[in-house]
Amino acid sequence: MIYGNMKMWINGEWVNAESGKTFAVKNVTTGEDLGTVPLAGKADVDKAVAAARAAFPVWSGRTANQRSDLLLKMGEKLRNEFGKKEVPPLSAMEHGLPAHLAFGPDVMGASGNFIQAGAYARHIEGHYIPSSSDRMYMLERVPAGVCALITPWNLPFFLMVQKVALSLAAGCTSVLKVPSINAISSLKLAEFLSSFEELPKGAVNIITGPGSTVGTYMAEHPGIDCVGFTGSTETGVEIMKAAAPTLKKLVMELGGKNPAIIFPDANLDRAVEVLGHHQFFNCGQACGSPGRYYIHEDVFDEFLEKYLTHAKHLKVGDPLKPDSDMGPLVSKEHFDNVMKYIGSGKEQGAKLVLGGERLTGPEYDNGYFIPPTVFTDVTPDMKIYREEIFGPVAVMLKWNDEAEVMRLAEDNNYGLTASIWSKNVARALTLGKGLTVGTFSVNSHNFIAAEAPWGGVKASGVGGREGGYQGVLEYTVQKMTTVCLIE
Ligand code: NAD
């Protein structure tokens, strides 16, 4: 066990679960144990929430510049020391993202989250509102309080740090929980945060345990004011229900089924390179990956040929090897789910033109590897067309009527991201107005950057954006102060 027996981080101390129970985190490629972590229960959540509440007046009482300075320092240290060494191999072993590809989002992206949040922490501005009477009004942004931060496994460091950094920038304290798959990553983040003595004890607490028990309890806990959640739409619904009786503020980033619409005048080489990258990066386990390709009939064959060439060149293998482009899927359960989608695509009459079978052989047998998979002849009644697959499966349709393709692209429950590919940027921007999504790209797809607010609408998100100044504001609430000028 590379990581040994790890402890949770509550109130600045390293602790076991109150029950003494633990669970093992596995290497997703070999099936070996990487380390054990505490199996938290309700008593541990109570302790962590109490610590975050006690730390709240201390941390929210720090000046904007003090909060900013610390976040900027964290960003530098993550990028230059801790991140480089610890994060890429852990991302590869825990969830299968090739180590050399994890560096960009999970080290540089996470460090960017600290740095941007640090910069914005200095500029949380309010308003002075003119009055016609003898009063003056001051509207300010104050911290939302104690936050439950619950994140998914697909880009653990980027997503954990995003929530921790934005909430700290706003002056909030928190309890963070990630999926059991990434429990070691979260405790490594705790190790990193514990190296900053300027961070008050209990300002961030990190616990490890299942979402169905501790996650739900965090969402319903009366000591929590705000829930910052990234994960599936189904879990988002459960969290909203759990949080409803105590009327918590919610920041929800959920699933997607993202259209990419290719016009005949698009730069096909670039479209293939960018969309192919986003489709197969992290084995397609990305909320913003293209979920539905609409390709104009005049360029369909050319696009497909280029796309298949791109996909066939990707090397699927051990994510610790520097030449691997794709690793295994994250778990047997998730593999079974993706294979069900592939099965349903075949049964419902889509044409499988690439991949679709589990890879076998000595390099693959202890993990769950699916190569790049491409379906054409897809129709809107198919499950693979309507639902989020979250795997390396591209779903392609041919179009020839602009109004109809825009109607189809809009007709989905999700509203995370979408892209239009055309040299006619004015047309793309005009058509983009008809897409109900949180983020929209022209000749690009799925930008996630610390400086750019990201998030969805409809079944893809509730309560706002993460990233940029907007992301910090999500962890604040407005407070109006009135002063009467007559003493
Ligand atoms: P998930 O919903 O299964 O789990 C997310 C987190 O919620 C985990 O920490 C889990 O332990 C916890 N959880 C599970 N059940 C819970 C409950 N009842 N109450 C409270 N917490 C609970 O999601 P996942 O499989 O880890 O991640 C994949 C999903 O995340 C995909 O749908 C993907 O699109 C989405 N995602 C969205 C974004 C975005 O920015 N919109 C980013 C990344 C991933």
Side-chain angles (χ1 to χ4, degrees), residues 150-154 159 177-180 209-212 214-217 219 229-236 238-239 253-256 286-288 388 390 416 448 454-456 460:
I150 304 176
T151 57
W153 47 264
N154 63 326
L159 294 162
K177 192 209 84 66
V178 305
S180 302
S212 52
V214 287
T216 310
Y217 189 53
F229 171 71
T230 301
S232 63
T233 301
E234 296 70 24
T235 306
E238 291 308 312
I239 288 181
E253 305 294 353
L254 309 174
C287 55
E388 183 183 46
F390 219 58
L416 189 56
I448 296 194
W454 165 265
S460 295

Side-chain angles (χ1 to χ4, degrees), residues 350 417 474:
T417 192
E474 296 298 343

Side-chain angles (χ1 to χ4, degrees), residues 294-313:
Y294 301 92
I295 304 149
H296 191 274
E297 64 181 10
D298 288 354
V299 291
F300 187 90
D301 291 344
E302 191 185 345
F303 180 89
L304 181 62
E305 193 190 320
K306 288 176 189 287
Y307 194 90
L308 293 178
T309 305
H310 171 95
K312 284 175 191 165
H313 272 98

